[in-house]
Amino acid sequence: MYRKKECIAMLLAGGQGSRLYVLTEKNAKPAVSFGGKYRIIDFPMSNCVNSGIDTVGVLTQYQPLVLNEYIGNGEPWDLDRANGGVMVLPPYQGKDSSDWYKGTANAIYQNLGFINRYDPDYVVILSGDHIYKMDYSDMLAQHKQNNADCTIAALQVPLSEASRFGILNTKEDGQIYEFEEKPKNPKSNKASMGIYIFNKKVLEEYLIRDENNPESSNDFGKNIIPSMLGDGKRLFSYVFDGYWKDVGTIQSLWEANMDLLGKTPNFNIYDKKWRIYFRHNAKPAHRINDGAVVKNSMITEGCEISGTVINSVLSSGVVVEPGAVVKDSVIMSDVCIKSGAVVNYSMIDSNTVIGENSVVGKELSGDAKITVVGGSIEILSGKTVPDGMIVDPNNVKSL
Amino acid sequence: MSTAGIIFSNIHDENIAELTRIRTIGSVPFGCRYRLIDFALSNMVNSGISNVRVLANSNYNSLIDHIGSGKDWDLSRRSGGVKLFPPNVLAHGNYGTTNYTTRLGILRSLSAMVSNLKDDYVVLTDCDAICNVDFNAIVKEHIKSGADMTLAVKSFDVDRETARRNTFVKSDSDGRIVDVLAYPDDFEGVADMLLNIIVMSKKSLYDIVSLAQVHNYNSLTKDIIARYLGEKVFKIYRYDGYFACMSSLDHYFKENMQLLSNKQTYSELFDIPSRPILTKVRNSPPTYYGEGAVVKNSLIADGCTIEGTVENCILFRGVKIGKGTVAKNSILFQDVFTGENVSLNCVIADKNVVLRDGLVLYGCEKLPIYIEKGQYL
């Protein structure tokens, strides 16, 4: 027996994140680690819980093992509930048809069964690749107040950059009259954040209709929203003015990590009123040895620092040996940086060893490009990894 | 064969009276992010013991909060798991309502719990047994030797103060205990000290509790071990890993500082991959080091913000070190806040202490300054 829920969330976490290259070789983008202790998916999941949404369907498809294991029973987010909680929803084989998730809309369509069990009035559609803190309950309140069929969260971007986004053209009261995907001459600076609240009945109707249209690419932005607008449905924008970052590329993922640093960081994760929850691995506190220099950096459990760490974010269990230097870098869990090694402006995936006196990347400056080293690799002693390179276990290529 | 665990959360509370005024010895913070009971609980779980009873007799609010459902130790189980037993004080009874403070007394008052245990063997441990030990090895040896009780010991070179708060045993070549020296006033030197980790069969435990009820015995050491060592076979199990022995606040201070100065000690406690020490999850973000941070030889938990100088310190979760502040040789508990230009040496600051701008506090190793929970200075 399922009890009715007013609002449930569907989290799209099936994307490959191909522009993260080697970082998403063995796991889905939402499971990529972020900010020392977190994974990208912790942000939308924690937002749900902090907004009072206790039923979350996570749609997985690409390399789901790490993600499934990470979500588990949902206990870290208090989503191990008797009624509701988190449910991982992979594509499945049906009686008459079976298919991979063809697009964002198709993924939700295939899981209408899950949604209908809770008979919700509203469905929040989220994606698993954004870093932000947002109160969905405030967005829902506005959705109800507007008597809307759909509300789309929007970020105000500089007009000069607006042509990179899906742009919402709205009337004064926020009602959307036009949606333009990457317009050449943008009329508005309200960029869609890919966060939607739908009236469930309307959503279901449009998903079914979209599914029956063989021409459709089954995408919310390309198909569902334009056809709702065409039918004169009430679509509204919800202007969000906090920090939001799409971490779909190596550069933006690095930037988002750097945004955590500073005396007054661009993105504050120390806010006790809006905690970000994560699955914990039991490691002892970190140790800073004599001779270590640590400035403007984040360091977490299980690390041992004997060298120099400046402007960097280190995940758990990272060892920085004496004489090693880490600058402007993001180091993922259990990486060992041997003595004398220098790591500059790089991202290094978990379990990798940077050999003695080796040099990875180039000091952050005008023309330097970011360097990426994949997981479980050993960079041999004395070797140099030039900037802009992506070191992959199988092949080495340039960014 | 299955083994149950019994943890005494309040035994030796008086050893560190400063820290146990508001908490059990089991909930005394240690080593950056742990509480003493974490060692007992983790040792249980890592030895495959999943039916654990924690027996408390006073001050157990913080303990209830810390243990919660037990899920952080994987002890939230449908069958077994961790259960907290407060004192068995009856509302309408005029007998059996004593709040016992000794191990045997507590077991007597909870005799129903003892007789309900379904497991074949029982491991009993105190909370001030800070070590990373495989209880299974003790149980195995206990079964092999056929003893009535097996007690873990470690050879220590003790001073008088430590001796006064501990029990020492002599054993023959078979490891059978032949003499007991309990809480001696004038002893110092090398001796086998009881670690207060005891293994026996459930039946032996039940027999001992029955015996204690009949004879009104209260002390496990004096009334059972010392009295019956001719009649029953009590054997020792020699443990030689790290064991923190804490009989006073300055010992507590010293043992914490050992984690910094002695890497061997630290590794024996925390670096055994198959036996991690688990604790309550607090969801702290990583620690942030500001531009002005200068940190040397310190252990630092997550969620701290460091803008000043930290040397030879142990910082628990959520500590803030202000600009220009210099903290040396100190232990700062959870959420301690230091303002700007504070100067500290040999200070133990309890939870939520606030040290305002410009404060200077210097203790010394034998006499660390202790600041009570929540004080504003």
Side-chain angles (χ1 to χ4, degrees), chain A residues 37 75 270 277 283 286-288 295-297 299-301 304, chain B residues 33 71 259 263 283-284 286-289 291 293 297-298 300 302:
Chain A
K37 293 184 94 168
E75 184 266 315
Y270 290 86
Y277 300 93
K283 282 196 178 143
H286 65 270
R287 180 190 279 274
I288 309 284
K295 304 250 181 237
N296 191 37
S297 294
I299 295 180
T300 186
E301 53 193 18
E304 183 168 358
Chain B
R33 56 178 304 180
K71 66 184 174 185
L259 298 178
K263 279 213 168 166
N283 254 301
S284 315
T287 283
Y288 175 68
Y289 292 81
E291 288 289 351
N297 192 36
S298 293
I300 296 170
D302 277 345

PDB file of all heavy atoms in Angstrom, chain A residues 37 75 270 277 283 286-288 295-297 299-301 304, chain B residues 33 71 259 263 283-284 286-289 291 293 297-298 300 302:
ATOM      1  N   LYS A  37      34.806  15.466  -0.281  1.00  0.00           N
ATOM      2  CA  LYS A  37      34.054  14.391   0.362  1.00  0.00           C
ATOM      3  C   LYS A  37      32.800  13.988  -0.397  1.00  0.00           C
ATOM      4  O   LYS A  37      32.141  13.036  -0.018  1.00  0.00           O
ATOM      5  CB  LYS A  37      33.617  14.833   1.763  1.00  0.00           C
ATOM      6  CG  LYS A  37      34.764  15.014   2.715  1.00  0.00           C
ATOM      7  CD  LYS A  37      34.269  15.354   4.096  1.00  0.00           C
ATOM      8  CE  LYS A  37      34.138  14.105   4.946  1.00  0.00           C
ATOM      9  NZ  LYS A  37      33.937  14.441   6.365  1.00  0.00           N
ATOM     10  N   GLU A  75      20.541   5.656   3.001  1.00  0.00           N
ATOM     11  CA  GLU A  75      20.688   5.994   4.421  1.00  0.00           C
ATOM     12  C   GLU A  75      21.426   7.325   4.666  1.00  0.00           C
ATOM     13  O   GLU A  75      20.982   8.120   5.506  1.00  0.00           O
ATOM     14  CB  GLU A  75      21.365   4.819   5.138  1.00  0.00           C
ATOM     15  CG  GLU A  75      21.509   4.961   6.617  1.00  0.00           C
ATOM     16  CD  GLU A  75      22.849   5.531   6.993  1.00  0.00           C
ATOM     17  OE1 GLU A  75      23.879   5.091   6.453  1.00  0.00           O
ATOM     18  OE2 GLU A  75      22.863   6.447   7.815  1.00  0.00           O
ATOM     19  N   TYR A 270      29.778  25.131   4.156  1.00  0.00           N
ATOM     20  CA  TYR A 270      29.832  25.070   5.620  1.00  0.00           C
ATOM     21  C   TYR A 270      28.510  25.490   6.259  1.00  0.00           C
ATOM     22  O   TYR A 270      28.413  25.612   7.463  1.00  0.00           O
ATOM     23  CB  TYR A 270      30.972  25.958   6.145  1.00  0.00           C
ATOM     24  CG  TYR A 270      32.322  25.378   5.814  1.00  0.00           C
ATOM     25  CD1 TYR A 270      32.933  25.641   4.607  1.00  0.00           C
ATOM     26  CD2 TYR A 270      32.956  24.520   6.708  1.00  0.00           C
ATOM     27  CE1 TYR A 270      34.155  25.078   4.289  1.00  0.00           C
ATOM     28  CE2 TYR A 270      34.171  23.955   6.399  1.00  0.00           C
ATOM     29  CZ  TYR A 270      34.771  24.235   5.195  1.00  0.00           C
ATOM     30  OH  TYR A 270      35.966  23.670   4.895  1.00  0.00           O
ATOM     31  N   TYR A 277      24.658  16.119   2.398  1.00  0.00           N
ATOM     32  CA  TYR A 277      24.893  14.794   2.953  1.00  0.00           C
ATOM     33  C   TYR A 277      25.669  13.951   1.957  1.00  0.00           C
ATOM     34  O   TYR A 277      25.594  14.168   0.753  1.00  0.00           O
ATOM     35  CB  TYR A 277      23.562  14.131   3.294  1.00  0.00           C
ATOM     36  CG  TYR A 277      22.776  14.932   4.301  1.00  0.00           C
ATOM     37  CD1 TYR A 277      21.824  15.863   3.901  1.00  0.00           C
ATOM     38  CD2 TYR A 277      23.030  14.790   5.662  1.00  0.00           C
ATOM     39  CE1 TYR A 277      21.135  16.624   4.831  1.00  0.00           C
ATOM     40  CE2 TYR A 277      22.342  15.534   6.588  1.00  0.00           C
ATOM     41  CZ  TYR A 277      21.395  16.456   6.173  1.00  0.00           C
ATOM     42  OH  TYR A 277      20.721  17.204   7.086  1.00  0.00           O
ATOM     43  N   LYS A 283      37.396   6.906   7.910  1.00  0.00           N
ATOM     44  CA  LYS A 283      38.844   7.063   7.969  1.00  0.00           C
ATOM     45  C   LYS A 283      39.169   7.980   9.134  1.00  0.00           C
ATOM     46  O   LYS A 283      38.371   8.845   9.486  1.00  0.00           O
ATOM     47  CB  LYS A 283      39.352   7.683   6.676  1.00  0.00           C
ATOM     48  CG  LYS A 283      39.421   6.670   5.552  1.00  0.00           C
ATOM     49  CD  LYS A 283      40.256   7.154   4.403  1.00  0.00           C
ATOM     50  CE  LYS A 283      40.329   6.087   3.349  1.00  0.00           C
ATOM     51  NZ  LYS A 283      40.298   6.640   2.012  1.00  0.00           N
ATOM     52  N   HIS A 286      42.846  13.730   9.441  1.00  0.00           N
ATOM     53  CA  HIS A 286      44.055  13.875   8.631  1.00  0.00           C
ATOM     54  C   HIS A 286      45.214  14.400   9.468  1.00  0.00           C
ATOM     55  O   HIS A 286      45.030  14.961  10.539  1.00  0.00           O
ATOM     56  CB  HIS A 286      43.802  14.735   7.403  1.00  0.00           C
ATOM     57  CG  HIS A 286      43.447  16.161   7.672  1.00  0.00           C
ATOM     58  ND1 HIS A 286      42.153  16.582   7.828  1.00  0.00           N
ATOM     59  CD2 HIS A 286      44.215  17.255   7.803  1.00  0.00           C
ATOM     60  CE1 HIS A 286      42.142  17.880   8.046  1.00  0.00           C
ATOM     61  NE2 HIS A 286      43.379  18.323   8.036  1.00  0.00           N
ATOM     62  N   ARG A 287      46.411  14.146   8.945  1.00  0.00           N
ATOM     63  CA  ARG A 287      47.619  14.492   9.691  1.00  0.00           C
ATOM     64  C   ARG A 287      48.437  15.485   8.879  1.00  0.00           C
ATOM     65  O   ARG A 287      48.654  15.282   7.684  1.00  0.00           O
ATOM     66  CB  ARG A 287      48.427  13.225   9.932  1.00  0.00           C
ATOM     67  CG  ARG A 287      49.720  13.420  10.698  1.00  0.00           C
ATOM     68  CD  ARG A 287      50.541  12.147  10.666  1.00  0.00           C
ATOM     69  NE  ARG A 287      50.087  11.183  11.651  1.00  0.00           N
ATOM     70  CZ  ARG A 287      50.487  11.158  12.926  1.00  0.00           C
ATOM     71  NH1 ARG A 287      51.341  12.045  13.355  1.00  0.00           N
ATOM     72  NH2 ARG A 287      50.039  10.248  13.758  1.00  0.00           N
ATOM     73  N   ILE A 288      48.859  16.567   9.534  1.00  0.00           N
ATOM     74  CA  ILE A 288      49.755  17.523   8.890  1.00  0.00           C
ATOM     75  C   ILE A 288      51.104  17.377   9.597  1.00  0.00           C
ATOM     76  O   ILE A 288      51.196  17.591  10.800  1.00  0.00           O
ATOM     77  CB  ILE A 288      49.243  18.976   9.056  1.00  0.00           C
ATOM     78  CG1 ILE A 288      47.784  19.098   8.645  1.00  0.00           C
ATOM     79  CG2 ILE A 288      50.139  19.939   8.292  1.00  0.00           C
ATOM     80  CD1 ILE A 288      47.493  19.110   7.188  1.00  0.00           C
ATOM     81  N   LYS A 295      47.964  26.086   2.337  1.00  0.00           N
ATOM     82  CA  LYS A 295      47.340  27.411   2.227  1.00  0.00           C
ATOM     83  C   LYS A 295      46.106  27.333   1.323  1.00  0.00           C
ATOM     84  O   LYS A 295      46.144  26.668   0.288  1.00  0.00           O
ATOM     85  CB  LYS A 295      48.305  28.419   1.601  1.00  0.00           C
ATOM     86  CG  LYS A 295      49.615  28.532   2.348  1.00  0.00           C
ATOM     87  CD  LYS A 295      49.736  29.859   3.073  1.00  0.00           C
ATOM     88  CE  LYS A 295      51.066  29.947   3.773  1.00  0.00           C
ATOM     89  NZ  LYS A 295      50.993  30.177   5.189  1.00  0.00           N
ATOM     90  N   ASN A 296      45.083  28.050   1.707  1.00  0.00           N
ATOM     91  CA  ASN A 296      43.859  28.164   0.929  1.00  0.00           C
ATOM     92  C   ASN A 296      43.460  26.844   0.273  1.00  0.00           C
ATOM     93  O   ASN A 296      43.314  26.748  -0.942  1.00  0.00           O
ATOM     94  CB  ASN A 296      44.019  29.259  -0.134  1.00  0.00           C
ATOM     95  CG  ASN A 296      42.688  29.587  -0.779  1.00  0.00           C
ATOM     96  OD1 ASN A 296      41.654  29.595  -0.105  1.00  0.00           O
ATOM     97  ND2 ASN A 296      42.697  29.823  -2.079  1.00  0.00           N
ATOM     98  N   SER A 297      43.317  25.811   1.090  1.00  0.00           N
ATOM     99  CA  SER A 297      43.021  24.489   0.550  1.00  0.00           C
ATOM    100  C   SER A 297      42.034  23.762   1.437  1.00  0.00           C
ATOM    101  O   SER A 297      41.844  24.134   2.586  1.00  0.00           O
ATOM    102  CB  SER A 297      44.306  23.660   0.462  1.00  0.00           C
ATOM    103  OG  SER A 297      45.177  24.206  -0.475  1.00  0.00           O
ATOM    104  N   ILE A 299      41.210  20.001   2.994  1.00  0.00           N
ATOM    105  CA  ILE A 299      41.813  18.696   3.227  1.00  0.00           C
ATOM    106  C   ILE A 299      40.863  17.895   4.095  1.00  0.00           C
ATOM    107  O   ILE A 299      40.207  18.445   4.979  1.00  0.00           O
ATOM    108  CB  ILE A 299      43.195  18.868   3.869  1.00  0.00           C
ATOM    109  CG1 ILE A 299      44.076  19.569   2.838  1.00  0.00           C
ATOM    110  CG2 ILE A 299      43.792  17.532   4.286  1.00  0.00           C
ATOM    111  CD1 ILE A 299      45.448  19.837   3.233  1.00  0.00           C
ATOM    112  N   THR A 300      40.794  16.605   3.841  1.00  0.00           N
ATOM    113  CA  THR A 300      39.807  15.816   4.563  1.00  0.00           C
ATOM    114  C   THR A 300      40.402  14.549   5.171  1.00  0.00           C
ATOM    115  O   THR A 300      41.614  14.336   5.141  1.00  0.00           O
ATOM    116  CB  THR A 300      38.591  15.537   3.658  1.00  0.00           C
ATOM    117  OG1 THR A 300      37.594  14.892   4.423  1.00  0.00           O
ATOM    118  CG2 THR A 300      38.969  14.665   2.478  1.00  0.00           C
ATOM    119  N   GLU A 301      39.531  13.727   5.728  1.00  0.00           N
ATOM    120  CA  GLU A 301      39.941  12.576   6.530  1.00  0.00           C
ATOM    121  C   GLU A 301      40.911  11.646   5.812  1.00  0.00           C
ATOM    122  O   GLU A 301      40.827  11.444   4.614  1.00  0.00           O
ATOM    123  CB  GLU A 301      38.699  11.806   6.950  1.00  0.00           C
ATOM    124  CG  GLU A 301      37.834  11.463   5.764  1.00  0.00           C
ATOM    125  CD  GLU A 301      36.453  10.975   6.149  1.00  0.00           C
ATOM    126  OE1 GLU A 301      36.044  11.205   7.286  1.00  0.00           O
ATOM    127  OE2 GLU A 301      35.814  10.372   5.297  1.00  0.00           O
ATOM    128  N   GLU A 304      47.489  12.563   4.573  1.00  0.00           N
ATOM    129  CA  GLU A 304      48.721  12.814   5.315  1.00  0.00           C
ATOM    130  C   GLU A 304      49.559  13.773   4.480  1.00  0.00           C
ATOM    131  O   GLU A 304      49.991  13.439   3.375  1.00  0.00           O
ATOM    132  CB  GLU A 304      49.474  11.516   5.579  1.00  0.00           C
ATOM    133  CG  GLU A 304      50.713  11.785   6.401  1.00  0.00           C
ATOM    134  CD  GLU A 304      51.381  10.541   6.953  1.00  0.00           C
ATOM    135  OE1 GLU A 304      50.858   9.430   6.736  1.00  0.00           O
ATOM    136  OE2 GLU A 304      52.435  10.685   7.589  1.00  0.00           O
TER     137      GLU A 304
ATOM    138  N   ARG B  33      38.351  12.471  16.477  1.00  0.00           N
ATOM    139  CA  ARG B  33      36.964  12.350  16.069  1.00  0.00           C
ATOM    140  C   ARG B  33      36.269  11.193  16.742  1.00  0.00           C
ATOM    141  O   ARG B  33      35.151  10.853  16.385  1.00  0.00           O
ATOM    142  CB  ARG B  33      36.891  12.198  14.549  1.00  0.00           C
ATOM    143  CG  ARG B  33      37.690  11.046  14.034  1.00  0.00           C
ATOM    144  CD  ARG B  33      37.553  10.924  12.558  1.00  0.00           C
ATOM    145  NE  ARG B  33      36.148  10.810  12.208  1.00  0.00           N
ATOM    146  CZ  ARG B  33      35.720  10.681  10.981  1.00  0.00           C
ATOM    147  NH1 ARG B  33      36.580  10.676  10.004  1.00  0.00           N
ATOM    148  NH2 ARG B  33      34.455  10.556  10.727  1.00  0.00           N
ATOM    149  N   LYS B  71      23.775   2.365  13.644  1.00  0.00           N
ATOM    150  CA  LYS B  71      24.041   2.095  12.234  1.00  0.00           C
ATOM    151  C   LYS B  71      25.459   2.493  11.806  1.00  0.00           C
ATOM    152  O   LYS B  71      25.993   1.920  10.874  1.00  0.00           O
ATOM    153  CB  LYS B  71      23.006   2.775  11.347  1.00  0.00           C
ATOM    154  CG  LYS B  71      23.035   4.277  11.375  1.00  0.00           C
ATOM    155  CD  LYS B  71      21.896   4.853  10.542  1.00  0.00           C
ATOM    156  CE  LYS B  71      21.846   6.356  10.698  1.00  0.00           C
ATOM    157  NZ  LYS B  71      20.701   6.942  10.022  1.00  0.00           N
ATOM    158  N   LEU B 259      49.623  10.117  19.935  1.00  0.00           N
ATOM    159  CA  LEU B 259      49.138   9.886  18.573  1.00  0.00           C
ATOM    160  C   LEU B 259      49.898  10.772  17.590  1.00  0.00           C
ATOM    161  O   LEU B 259      50.067  10.434  16.425  1.00  0.00           O
ATOM    162  CB  LEU B 259      47.642  10.175  18.463  1.00  0.00           C
ATOM    163  CG  LEU B 259      46.696   9.323  19.298  1.00  0.00           C
ATOM    164  CD1 LEU B 259      45.270   9.784  19.106  1.00  0.00           C
ATOM    165  CD2 LEU B 259      46.814   7.858  18.937  1.00  0.00           C
ATOM    166  N   LYS B 263      54.291   7.490  15.612  1.00  0.00           N
ATOM    167  CA  LYS B 263      53.538   6.993  14.453  1.00  0.00           C
ATOM    168  C   LYS B 263      53.179   5.525  14.594  1.00  0.00           C
ATOM    169  O   LYS B 263      52.162   5.066  14.089  1.00  0.00           O
ATOM    170  CB  LYS B 263      54.355   7.195  13.184  1.00  0.00           C
ATOM    171  CG  LYS B 263      54.251   8.602  12.663  1.00  0.00           C
ATOM    172  CD  LYS B 263      54.324   8.595  11.163  1.00  0.00           C
ATOM    173  CE  LYS B 263      53.931   9.951  10.639  1.00  0.00           C
ATOM    174  NZ  LYS B 263      54.292  10.122   9.239  1.00  0.00           N
ATOM    175  N   ASN B 283      28.692  14.280   9.093  1.00  0.00           N
ATOM    176  CA  ASN B 283      28.462  15.026   7.857  1.00  0.00           C
ATOM    177  C   ASN B 283      29.199  16.357   7.809  1.00  0.00           C
ATOM    178  O   ASN B 283      28.660  17.346   7.309  1.00  0.00           O
ATOM    179  CB  ASN B 283      26.970  15.314   7.684  1.00  0.00           C
ATOM    180  CG  ASN B 283      26.405  14.439   6.612  1.00  0.00           C
ATOM    181  OD1 ASN B 283      26.850  14.479   5.474  1.00  0.00           O
ATOM    182  ND2 ASN B 283      25.466  13.610   6.969  1.00  0.00           N
ATOM    183  N   SER B 284      30.420  16.385   8.308  1.00  0.00           N
ATOM    184  CA  SER B 284      31.183  17.631   8.231  1.00  0.00           C
ATOM    185  C   SER B 284      31.778  17.774   6.839  1.00  0.00           C
ATOM    186  O   SER B 284      32.226  16.804   6.259  1.00  0.00           O
ATOM    187  CB  SER B 284      32.351  17.619   9.209  1.00  0.00           C
ATOM    188  OG  SER B 284      31.952  17.147  10.448  1.00  0.00           O
ATOM    189  N   PRO B 286      34.932  19.130   4.367  1.00  0.00           N
ATOM    190  CA  PRO B 286      36.369  19.053   4.643  1.00  0.00           C
ATOM    191  C   PRO B 286      36.844  20.251   5.476  1.00  0.00           C
ATOM    192  O   PRO B 286      36.107  21.209   5.664  1.00  0.00           O
ATOM    193  CB  PRO B 286      37.001  19.090   3.253  1.00  0.00           C
ATOM    194  CG  PRO B 286      35.939  18.686   2.317  1.00  0.00           C
ATOM    195  CD  PRO B 286      34.660  19.144   2.929  1.00  0.00           C
ATOM    196  N   THR B 287      38.088  20.161   5.942  1.00  0.00           N
ATOM    197  CA  THR B 287      38.670  21.273   6.696  1.00  0.00           C
ATOM    198  C   THR B 287      39.258  22.295   5.735  1.00  0.00           C
ATOM    199  O   THR B 287      39.902  21.938   4.750  1.00  0.00           O
ATOM    200  CB  THR B 287      39.740  20.727   7.650  1.00  0.00           C
ATOM    201  OG1 THR B 287      39.066  20.142   8.752  1.00  0.00           O
ATOM    202  CG2 THR B 287      40.668  21.810   8.159  1.00  0.00           C
ATOM    203  N   TYR B 288      39.030  23.572   6.041  1.00  0.00           N
ATOM    204  CA  TYR B 288      39.548  24.630   5.174  1.00  0.00           C
ATOM    205  C   TYR B 288      40.757  25.316   5.816  1.00  0.00           C
ATOM    206  O   TYR B 288      40.703  25.705   6.981  1.00  0.00           O
ATOM    207  CB  TYR B 288      38.453  25.666   4.882  1.00  0.00           C
ATOM    208  CG  TYR B 288      38.991  26.831   4.101  1.00  0.00           C
ATOM    209  CD1 TYR B 288      39.402  26.651   2.777  1.00  0.00           C
ATOM    210  CD2 TYR B 288      39.159  28.084   4.679  1.00  0.00           C
ATOM    211  CE1 TYR B 288      39.956  27.700   2.056  1.00  0.00           C
ATOM    212  CE2 TYR B 288      39.702  29.136   3.964  1.00  0.00           C
ATOM    213  CZ  TYR B 288      40.104  28.934   2.652  1.00  0.00           C
ATOM    214  OH  TYR B 288      40.662  29.953   1.940  1.00  0.00           O
ATOM    215  N   TYR B 289      41.824  25.407   5.069  1.00  0.00           N
ATOM    216  CA  TYR B 289      43.032  26.105   5.510  1.00  0.00           C
ATOM    217  C   TYR B 289      43.092  27.442   4.794  1.00  0.00           C
ATOM    218  O   TYR B 289      43.121  27.473   3.563  1.00  0.00           O
ATOM    219  CB  TYR B 289      44.282  25.292   5.163  1.00  0.00           C
ATOM    220  CG  TYR B 289      44.386  24.014   5.962  1.00  0.00           C
ATOM    221  CD1 TYR B 289      43.666  22.886   5.598  1.00  0.00           C
ATOM    222  CD2 TYR B 289      45.184  23.943   7.094  1.00  0.00           C
ATOM    223  CE1 TYR B 289      43.739  21.731   6.345  1.00  0.00           C
ATOM    224  CE2 TYR B 289      45.272  22.781   7.839  1.00  0.00           C
ATOM    225  CZ  TYR B 289      44.547  21.676   7.461  1.00  0.00           C
ATOM    226  OH  TYR B 289      44.616  20.532   8.204  1.00  0.00           O
ATOM    227  N   GLU B 291      44.664  31.445   4.005  1.00  0.00           N
ATOM    228  CA  GLU B 291      45.966  31.946   3.535  1.00  0.00           C
ATOM    229  C   GLU B 291      46.961  32.058   4.682  1.00  0.00           C
ATOM    230  O   GLU B 291      48.158  31.879   4.504  1.00  0.00           O
ATOM    231  CB  GLU B 291      45.793  33.321   2.869  1.00  0.00           C
ATOM    232  CG  GLU B 291      45.108  33.279   1.507  1.00  0.00           C
ATOM    233  CD  GLU B 291      45.991  32.660   0.425  1.00  0.00           C
ATOM    234  OE1 GLU B 291      47.190  32.427   0.680  1.00  0.00           O
ATOM    235  OE2 GLU B 291      45.468  32.419  -0.674  1.00  0.00           O
ATOM    236  N   ALA B 293      47.203  30.177   7.351  1.00  0.00           N
ATOM    237  CA  ALA B 293      47.345  28.945   8.133  1.00  0.00           C
ATOM    238  C   ALA B 293      48.790  28.468   8.156  1.00  0.00           C
ATOM    239  O   ALA B 293      49.454  28.413   7.137  1.00  0.00           O
ATOM    240  CB  ALA B 293      46.451  27.858   7.545  1.00  0.00           C
ATOM    241  N   ASN B 297      52.741  19.226  12.523  1.00  0.00           N
ATOM    242  CA  ASN B 297      52.574  18.029  13.339  1.00  0.00           C
ATOM    243  C   ASN B 297      51.249  18.004  14.108  1.00  0.00           C
ATOM    244  O   ASN B 297      51.236  18.029  15.332  1.00  0.00           O
ATOM    245  CB  ASN B 297      53.757  17.928  14.306  1.00  0.00           C
ATOM    246  CG  ASN B 297      53.796  16.570  14.982  1.00  0.00           C
ATOM    247  OD1 ASN B 297      53.461  15.567  14.363  1.00  0.00           O
ATOM    248  ND2 ASN B 297      54.156  16.542  16.245  1.00  0.00           N
ATOM    249  N   SER B 298      50.158  17.977  13.392  1.00  0.00           N
ATOM    250  CA  SER B 298      48.855  17.981  14.055  1.00  0.00           C
ATOM    251  C   SER B 298      47.909  16.988  13.401  1.00  0.00           C
ATOM    252  O   SER B 298      48.068  16.648  12.238  1.00  0.00           O
ATOM    253  CB  SER B 298      48.234  19.379  13.979  1.00  0.00           C
ATOM    254  OG  SER B 298      48.998  20.269  14.743  1.00  0.00           O
ATOM    255  N   ILE B 300      43.974  16.631  12.516  1.00  0.00           N
ATOM    256  CA  ILE B 300      42.868  17.565  12.381  1.00  0.00           C
ATOM    257  C   ILE B 300      41.674  16.854  11.754  1.00  0.00           C
ATOM    258  O   ILE B 300      41.798  16.213  10.715  1.00  0.00           O
ATOM    259  CB  ILE B 300      43.322  18.780  11.548  1.00  0.00           C
ATOM    260  CG1 ILE B 300      44.430  19.506  12.318  1.00  0.00           C
ATOM    261  CG2 ILE B 300      42.155  19.712  11.247  1.00  0.00           C
ATOM    262  CD1 ILE B 300      45.152  20.558  11.566  1.00  0.00           C
ATOM    263  N   ASP B 302      37.585  16.757  10.274  1.00  0.00           N
ATOM    264  CA  ASP B 302      36.911  17.526   9.227  1.00  0.00           C
ATOM    265  C   ASP B 302      36.081  18.663   9.807  1.00  0.00           C
ATOM    266  O   ASP B 302      35.782  18.703  10.988  1.00  0.00           O
ATOM    267  CB  ASP B 302      36.023  16.592   8.413  1.00  0.00           C
ATOM    268  CG  ASP B 302      36.855  15.881   7.365  1.00  0.00           C
ATOM    269  OD1 ASP B 302      37.987  16.325   7.105  1.00  0.00           O
ATOM    270  OD2 ASP B 302      36.387  14.877   6.811  1.00  0.00           O
TER     271      ASP B 302
END
